[in-house]
Amino acid sequence: MQIHQLPYADPGDPDVRSGTRFLLWLGRNQWGGQVRTLLWGLLLHLGIAGLPLGVGLAVQAVVDGSGGGLARAGALIALLGAAIAVGDTMQHRTAVTNWITAAARVQQLLARKTAELGALLTRRVAAGEVVAVSTGDVEKIGWFVEVLSRFAAAATTLLLVCAGLVLYQPALGVVVAVGLPVVALAALPLLPRATRRADVQREKAGRATELASDTVAGLRVLRGIGGEELFLGRYRAASQEVRRAAVRSARMWALIAAVQVLLPGLLLVVVVLYGAKLALEGRVTVGELVTVYGAVTLTHHQLRTFEELAMAYSFSRPSATRAARVLALTRTTTATVTDAHERPGGDLYDPVTGLLAPAGGLTAVVCGDPDFAGTLADRLGGHPSQEPEGHVSVLLGGVPLDALPLDAARSAVLVQDKDPVLLSGTLHELLDVPSSGRVAAGDALAAARCGDVLEALAQASADGGGDPMRARITERGRSLSGGQRQRLALARSLVADPEVLVLDEPTSAVDAHTEARVAAGVQRLRTGRTTVVLASSPLLLDLADRVVLVHEGEAVAVGTHRELLATEERYRAVVTRETEEEALVDIEESA
């Protein structure tokens, strides 16, 4: 895979059983690039390792007064220099390609998982963690995948250098062959502690990122309640913890780096002292001593790769673990997948709660617990929760939603949660969504009562000639009020015109007058389509064909809004915000 061939047609099915397995899976899937980097790395390192031989031959030629020998040594050095230049350039090129393509593969996997789970993703994993995985973590993971082949080239070169020195000069070669493995592996006892400290640093950095992400997302609310300083203090404390953890981790890596400098230096001293003794005894020539000395000196290029691999693994393993945890989330499936071309339809039924939404009608659902309302909306969208008896899916026309292919399920049921997201772009791009074509954008905007939004966007449209459809919406619609964002998101859902539309508190951020007009518009546009509204507003409930009260996870009452007000105390308590004491007073007064 080359960079210009990205994105992958299929990023593959990752091994997410652990962070280490995920890293190894990525390495295996970069097999072609790894081999290319290994071969170019061998050319580079063998060229570097061969330089001492050329220098040693040149020195010996000068000692012997051999002009031909000196010329041959010079030619060898020139050839090795060319090999080093080509090997270094191409190894860097292929290694960076491995890094970028591995990071791109992880990003594609994360994007695919995000598209699969939708809004359910941030309910299973903190939004800050998702951001951390998709930004900093992919770079660390790519770093480890990239360094694998360079490490293999360095390790192979060290083995060849040891074997070559033993054959070239056995007396000194044996010393090097014994000492180099000790030097290369000396830092291993320090790695577990360094890894633990890196894990702590990574965990604290992740918490700080999550805190920053959540603070930014709720900045408007924080300003409203005067809580900026409180959260700023929390973030300041979290960042200081990250700093202290980073310093402790850096100290450990500094110690490992010191070991990687000290021990090769000691080995070099031993080789020089022993070699000088052998040279005085006449057992080695000056050229051989220079060759062995140079070979040991230049092994620091390979030994640095050992340290880099250890550091890359220590920093990338927690990142890979986080990525694997996100990628392990699944859209549960319990039944046989049906034909993807079939468009399911019919009544929407939830076996867990007993909620039934007849086809073609407007069903309102009242939940006393707002958190359960969000969970129920997820279930109705085809994301069943884990029940004691196993996964139980919502049925659409008798067909389990989670047994349908993802595209078919998404086209059949659309869920708009209580905090919808608006992507940056023009209003035209916002409303350019897959749809049946039955509802025009203008009709959807009118039904959602977006007139004031269009006026504001027209005034802000500096390059659109006053056309609101060409006005740009900032990231997450931050330039709009909560009610304006909510109505634009509703218009987008109405344009999509799914077979079943599930709305979770679609008018919670608008005033009562606008709410009534929006409810009437939704009812008019959704005629003949199944619509489920999770709300407690009497204005919405009064327009519904059928109202269902869900209490403690079970549908306990069904009827119209007025019928339930008259007959069901639990319903009345939720809708009118009436307390038990107030209800008793009403009963006594009516008596």
Side-chain angles (χ1 to χ4, degrees), residues 384-441:
S385 56
Q386 180 67 51
E387 303 297 332
E389 64 273 15
H391 294 296
V392 181
S393 175
V394 169
L395 306 178
L396 179 59
V399 178
L401 265 186
D402 70 338
L404 291 172
L406 185 59
D407 291 343
R410 289 278 170 83
S411 64
V413 181
L414 173 64
V415 177
Q416 177 181 307
D417 62 23
K418 64 181 64 179
D419 186 22
V421 175
L422 302 182
L423 301 179
S424 59
T426 65
L427 180 56
H428 173 75
E429 292 170 340
L430 174 70
L431 300 179
D432 185 18
V433 295
S435 66
S436 66
R438 192 175 73 98
V439 179

Side-chain angles (χ1 to χ4, degrees), residues 108-454:
Q108 279 190 248
L109 290 169
L110 291 170
R112 185 174 69 181
K113 184 60 63 175
T114 302
E116 175 188 343
L117 297 178
L120 192 65
L121 175 62
T122 52
R123 290 187 178 156
R124 294 187 179 180
V125 181
E129 183 169 352
V130 177
V131 172
V133 170
S134 59
T135 54
D137 283 343
V138 295
E139 294 186 6
K140 293 181 176 64
I141 292 171
W143 178 27
F144 176 78
V145 173
E146 174 266 332
V147 80
L148 273 176
S149 50
R150 292 195 292 111
F151 166 76
T156 303
T157 300
L158 284 180
L159 292 176
L160 293 176
V161 167
C162 291
L165 289 180
V166 169
L167 295 175
Y168 177 73
Q169 177 41 254
L172 287 174
V174 170
V175 175
V176 176
V178 172
L180 271 182
V182 174
V183 171
L185 302 177
L188 281 180
L190 301 175
L191 287 180
R193 179 174 296 181
T195 301
R196 287 194 298 270
R197 292 189 179 185
D199 289 349
V200 171
Q201 178 194 354
R202 189 69 187 84
E203 180 183 355
K204 291 184 180 297
R207 290 177 182 173
T209 302
E210 292 172 17
L211 181 59
S213 177
D214 294 341
T215 302
V216 171
L219 188 58
R220 180 171 296 182
V221 177
L222 290 177
R223 286 175 176 170
I225 63 176
E228 304 102 309
E229 290 300 324
L230 173 63
F231 274 80
L232 181 60
R234 291 181 181 178
Y235 181 73
R236 185 182 294 113
S239 64
Q240 290 302 311
E241 289 184 8
V242 174
R243 180 189 62 79
R244 287 191 290 269
V247 169
R248 294 185 73 247
S249 179
R251 287 172 179 167
M252 205 65 214
W253 288 110
L255 177 60
I256 292 175
V259 170
Q260 292 293 326
V261 172
L262 175 64
L263 294 185
L266 292 177
L267 176 62
L268 189 61
V269 169
V270 171
V271 168
V272 170
L273 292 177
Y274 184 56
K277 177 176 179 298
L278 294 179
L280 291 175
E281 295 175 355
R283 297 169 58 184
V284 300
T285 65
V286 174
E288 290 173 338
L289 177 59
V290 170
T291 298
V292 176
Y293 169 81
V296 175
T297 301
L298 294 180
T299 55
H300 78 277
H301 288 283
Q302 292 83 35
L303 293 174
R304 279 166 48 193
T305 310
F306 280 72
E307 178 189 349
E308 185 180 2
L309 177 70
M311 184 176 292
Y313 176 74
S314 297
F315 280 90
S316 65
R317 186 179 60 81
S319 296
T321 301
R322 290 166 65 117
R325 185 163 58 245
V326 174
L327 294 175
L329 301 175
T330 59
R331 175 177 177 256
T332 54
T333 301
T334 57
T336 304
V337 175
T338 60
D339 187 356
H341 299 290
E342 293 182 1
R343 186 178 178 87
D347 297 343
L348 184 69
Y349 176 67
D350 178 19
V352 174
T353 61
L355 170 64
L356 173 67
L362 174 58
T363 301
V365 181
V366 176
C367 296
D369 182 0
D371 293 334
F372 182 78
T375 302
L376 180 57
D378 289 336
R379 285 190 51 77
L380 297 178
H383 297 286
S385 56
Q386 180 67 51
E387 303 297 332
E389 64 273 15
H391 294 296
V392 181
S393 175
V394 169
L395 306 178
L396 179 59
V399 178
L401 265 186
D402 70 338
L404 291 172
L406 185 59
D407 291 343
R410 289 278 170 83
S411 64
V413 181
L414 173 64
V415 177
Q416 177 181 307
D417 62 23
K418 64 181 64 179
D419 186 22
V421 175
L422 302 182
L423 301 179
S424 59
T426 65
L427 180 56
H428 173 75
E429 292 170 340
L430 174 70
L431 300 179
D432 185 18
V433 295
S435 66
S436 66
R438 192 175 73 98
V439 179
D443 295 336
L445 290 168
R449 299 300 171 184
C450 295
D452 61 322
V453 186
L454 296 179

